[in-house]
Amino acid sequence: MKGSDALIMALRNMAATLGVYDLMEVRVFLERSCRFVQERYRAIYVDAYMSMAVDSVLDLKAGFSGTPEMDDARYSLRDALKRLDEINAPTIVGLTVLYRTYVKGEPLHPPRTPFPGGFEVEEKDGVHYCPVKDKQSDNPEALCDICIARQTPLP
């Protein structure tokens, strides 16, 4: 069994164990994590992250049938697991991060996620760009180091 197949199987098994209390736990985790985000963005972020978590669980429970995108990840799976443990992420957060990064090859902020100054996450020619990726490198709670998005180039 290839490593990507083993990861998908492990994520599917994790998803099968998740229920409504896990969703409640992740909501609390997200609200706590976003407590310092400007108020006008906070609800947008929490709702977007909740949607990603629910979609990830539902995709895995339905039986993901795509081709894993592990080659696009610039962070080893072992290091990603260590970072998730460092921030004491709930299971569903870990599942979502691993699924989006190592299976779907998607950034942790969905495209069009707004940021102060009118900036947003963009996709150009299959590459995702984030306007705040480099600015979050010193934030121990941010998972930008795991995210596949690249820093938006300066104009």
Side-chain angles (χ1 to χ4, degrees):
M1 178 181 292
K2 295 186 321 189
S4 58
D5 293 336
L7 175 62
I8 291 171
M9 184 178 292
L11 293 174
R12 279 176 151 168
N13 291 339
M14 286 171 59
T17 68
L18 297 173
V20 70
Y21 292 110
D22 297 291
L23 292 173
M24 291 166 49
E25 179 185 22
V26 78
R27 182 74 185 205
V28 170
F29 175 83
L30 291 172
E31 287 178 0
R32 187 182 71 235
S33 297
C34 292
R35 69 187 175 275
F36 298 117
V37 173
Q38 291 179 17
E39 188 174 342
R40 65 182 175 182
Y41 297 101
R42 190 176 311 133
I44 294 169
Y45 292 171
V46 171
D47 289 346
Y49 298 147
M50 280 300 298
S51 178
M52 286 189 312
V54 170
D55 290 348
S56 297
V57 171
L58 292 176
D59 281 358
L60 287 162
K61 284 185 175 186
F64 174 79
S65 60
T67 303
E69 300 287 338
M70 293 179 77
D71 294 339
D72 209 20
R74 291 185 287 278
Y75 211 67
S76 81
L77 186 55
R78 177 175 290 150
D79 289 340
L81 290 168
K82 182 179 176 193
R83 283 284 291 120
L84 290 165
D85 185 54
E86 288 171 359
I87 64 165
N88 198 24
T91 300
I92 196 169
V93 170
L95 177 141
T96 301
V97 168
L98 298 176
Y99 180 64
R100 288 183 63 84
T101 302
Y102 295 94
V103 176
K104 302 256 327 209
E106 295 177 350
L108 299 180
H109 287 105
R112 295 180 303 288
T113 300
F115 288 93
F119 300 104
E120 60 184 32
V121 173
E122 299 176 309
E123 180 184 359
K124 293 179 185 170
D125 300 321
V127 178
H128 294 90
Y129 295 97
C130 178
V132 300
K133 183 169 178 101
D134 289 349
K135 293 186 186 307
Q136 294 298 317
S137 62
D138 293 335
N139 182 348
E141 292 186 26
L143 295 173
C144 299
D145 51 344
I146 297 172
C147 184
I148 66 160
R150 297 178 184 167
Q151 173 63 44
T152 302
L154 295 173

